[in-house]
Every structure is written in C-alpha cells, then in structure tokens.
Amino acid sequence: MASLIDRSTTAPGGFARFRRTRRTEALRRLVRETTLEPSDFVYPLFVTHGEGVRREIGSMPGQFQLSLDRLGPEVEEIVALGIGGVLLFGLPETKDALASGAYDPNGVVQGAVRAIKGQAPELLVVTDVCCCEYTDHGHCGVLVDGEVHNDRTLDLLARAAVSHAAAGADIVAPSDMMDGRVGAIRAALDAAGHEATPIMSYSAKYASGFYGPFREAADSTPQFGDRRSHQMDPANAREALREIAADVDEGADLIIVKPALAYLDVVARAREEFRLPIAAYNVSGEYAMVKAAAANGWIDERRIALEILTAIKRAGADIVITYHAKDAARWLDE
Ligand code: PBG
C-alpha cells in the first residue's frame, strides 16, 4: 500500500514538503477541506410578547428579545445576509403548569412564524418544540410528584409541533429530550395533514452548563432541580449514538448534537455512523465566552468565531446553529 505521506524524492532526506501547498492564499484555498457559507448557519431568535420590545440579553451581547412588531428589520437583514434559516424560541405572556402557551394557536411563536412567513416566505423557519419556556415551574414537561412525566408530556409536545406546522413552520425541532417524542410528533403531524413537515430532533442533547445564558434569554430556568433526569450525561458518547438511532427509527429527518464545542467527538462519531443531515448547536455559553473574552481584548473575535464554526463543520456537521450567524455571514462576505 502506498504511504499516506507523499514523500518527496528530491528533498534532502526525502521528507514530505507540506508547506508547498500553504505558501499562498490561492494554494491554501485550493486545498481547503472545509468551507463556511452563510447558508450553513441557522440563527436563533427570541420572540417575546408585548410591543416595541428590543431588549438586549445581558449575557449574550448582540442578541435581543424581540416583540413581533420589531421582527421586520431583523428578518430583512437575515435574508440579505443569505443565512440558512432562523430557529424560534418564545417568551409567552403567561406561564402555567401545562405549558398552554406552547401549543396555543395564537401563541408568540405561532404568531412569529406567521409574521416572518408573511414578510419573507422563502426564509426557512425552524421552531423549537419544548415546554420549558411555557411552564411556570420552568421544567420541560408535565410534573408528577416533582418529576417530569415522560408520556404525559408527549401529548403537549405533539400539540405544540402541530400548531407550529399549522402556522407555517418549515421544520419543527423538539429539544425536550423526552423518550418517544419524535414518534409522537411524527404521528400527530401526519394525522393533521403535515406529513411534509420535517422533524429536526435534538437527539444528543447534554445536561450542560453551557446553556446558562440561554436560560436568561428564554426565561426558562427551572424553579427547582435541574434537567439531568432527561438530558444526557456529559460523560457519555456511545449513548448518544443510541439516542440518535432511536430518533432516526422514530422518523427524525435531521438530527442535532448539542452543545457543539465540548462535544465535537460526538459530532464526528455521529457523522461516521449516520447518513442523515447533522446540525450542531453552538450554544449560548459558547457564544458568551467568546464575546466576554473579545470585550476584554483577550482574543480576536472574528478569527476565533470563524475558527470555531469551521471546526464544527470539519467535525462533521452540515448545519451550525449559532448566535454568530449574522457576524460570520458578514465576515465571509468581506
Ligand atoms: C430548551 C432549550 C434550551 C436550549 C435550546 N433549547 C435550554 C435548556 O435545555 O435548558 C439551549 C440553547 C443555548 O444554550 O443556546 N427549550
């Protein structure tokens, strides 16, 4: 078998000259294995009730909670930058034990989908399907004896997904980590005539400290306890492959690994084992760390953000869900 290293016979000692293809930008571009395009990015948006709201999220500089009447310019910018799509999270006016706002046909996310589709029908709209932003206790589903009850939560998730599809969402993305939710959502979508709506499942979602800033952004901090009874243990990678396989089995069309940076091994293993599209979620804490270090002048934000996004794609992600999307799209265009 030929050597993996193309040894040069003319060089003294016959060593390989890797530097030949690194000398100029033209050469580097020619042999580049991974490229970034704005269309690779999905940009999360936090939509809130009320009017005239454009509230910056303290721990996520440059990210805002927006009321529906303030979405217009944002959507225009996202379309102009060629970003692949948006992922919607909702802050409802009221919360209750059964997360009614999550599946209210006139809920904040459903309204945002209609508003965005009315303005820019071609912009891909993905909706997050979970109960945590809509329950008064901040947990991802129905509580029974202080625990999130798996099977009773499935019905609420299915109703939420159907309401999003009915409002015009292009993709629904369940992030709750209940067992069996992809199958339940698929069945409900099909029964409601939404058999053409794809499911992008957060299949391998870890119980991560990196979601800290998001919980401020989405007002979804659990009032007691944590999410370790349903989100994955950061110590496990083989189990992620089983989670993904189960979701594929139940009908997932795309899968998500989340967070991204501390889990690139999971992205790479998922890429090897599965053939369907893989998204990686470059989460709020990963973004906040870059922004904080950049604000202190400790790192070059542009360089680091593009390096991170490239690394996530290099690991095997086809799609990167990222708060850097707008900046990165601008930098790539320069
Ligand atoms: C749940 C959800 C969370 C995130 C996305 N969907 C929070 C959680 O599981 O607690 C986190 C995203 C981020 O940190 O950027 N609806």
Side-chain angles (χ1 to χ4, degrees):
M1 203 181 95
S3 166
L4 280 173
I5 305 168
D6 52 350
R7 290 175 76 232
S8 165
T9 50
T10 55
F15 50 78
R17 289 198 181 272
F18 294 105
R19 292 180 58 187
R20 281 188 193 125
T21 49
R22 290 178 200 155
R23 253 184 55 244
T24 66
E25 179 51 25
L27 282 164
R28 290 190 292 271
R29 196 169 53 211
L30 188 71
V31 300
R32 190 157 290 145
E33 298 175 28
T34 309
T35 54
L36 286 177
E37 301 284 341
S39 59
D40 299 331
F41 307 140
V42 170
Y43 183 56
L45 283 179
F46 299 97
V47 295
T48 183
H49 63 91
E51 269 175 41
V53 183
R54 188 169 186 272
R55 196 180 300 124
E56 189 163 27
I57 299 153
S59 51
M60 301 174 70
Q63 308 304 317
F64 296 82
Q65 295 171 344
L66 296 164
S67 54
L68 304 197
D69 58 324
R70 300 296 292 271
L71 276 174
E74 189 74 26
V75 167
E76 204 174 308
E77 194 183 7
I78 291 164
V79 171
L81 288 167
I83 289 169
V86 292
L87 171 60
L88 301 183
F89 296 96
L91 289 95
E93 189 160 13
T94 55
K95 304 185 185 224
D96 59 32
L98 292 177
S100 309
Y103 41 89
D104 177 355
N106 297 312
V108 64
V109 160
Q110 294 82 351
V113 173
R114 285 192 290 267
I116 295 170
K117 283 291 170 185
Q119 181 185 343
E122 74 286 3
L123 178 63
L124 182 93
V125 176
V126 188
T127 54
D128 185 82
V129 176
C130 191
C131 293
C132 67
E133 294 122 56
Y134 305 92
T135 50
D136 47 14
H137 43 69
H139 280 287
C140 303
V142 182
L143 288 186
V144 176
D145 298 333
E147 282 192 34
V148 181
H149 194 284
N150 193 86
D151 297 15
R152 283 195 207 168
T153 301
L154 297 183
D155 178 49
L156 307 189
L157 296 167
R159 287 167 66 182
V162 169
S163 73
H164 295 173
D170 294 293
I171 300 181
V172 293
S175 67
D176 52 282
M177 287 299 276
M178 295 301 112
D179 292 320
R181 90 272 207 210
V182 172
I185 289 172
R186 184 72 273 157
L189 286 173
D190 291 356
H194 301 296
E195 65 283 336
T197 303
I199 299 174
M200 176 155 90
S201 177
Y202 291 75
S203 304
K205 175 172 175 181
Y206 287 86
S208 171
F210 285 100
Y211 307 149
F214 173 94
R215 293 188 184 164
E216 178 199 340
D219 186 25
S220 65
T221 309
Q223 298 302 303
F224 63 90
D226 54 42
R227 307 211 201 288
R228 277 182 269 201
S229 79
H230 46 292
Q231 299 181 347
M232 285 185 60
D233 184 335
N236 295 354
R238 291 191 306 264
E239 190 187 359
L241 302 179
R242 295 179 60 219
E243 280 276 9
I244 297 168
D247 283 2
V248 172
D249 229 37
E250 290 177 34
D253 301 282
L254 308 91
I255 57 122
I256 305 177
V257 174
K258 175 184 173 189
L261 271 190
Y263 300 86
L264 290 184
D265 59 322
V266 178
V267 174
R269 287 172 76 165
R271 176 72 293 156
E272 280 191 8
E273 298 277 338
F274 300 95
R275 298 294 167 264
L276 77 178
I278 297 175
Y281 199 143
N282 177 215
V283 299
S284 58
E286 301 172 21
Y287 174 82
M289 291 194 302
V290 171
K291 292 304 261 191
N296 276 295
W298 295 337
I299 57 166
D300 176 341
E301 179 180 353
R302 171 189 166 136
R303 205 172 156 187
I304 294 250
L306 289 175
E307 186 172 331
I308 286 172
L309 297 170
T310 302
I312 294 170
K313 273 199 80 185
R314 190 199 61 231
D318 304 292
I319 302 154
V320 188
I321 304 168
T322 180
Y323 304 98
H324 295 293
K326 288 199 296 181
D327 288 334
R330 267 184 226 108
W331 293 327
L332 291 171
D333 195 40
E334 277 169 15

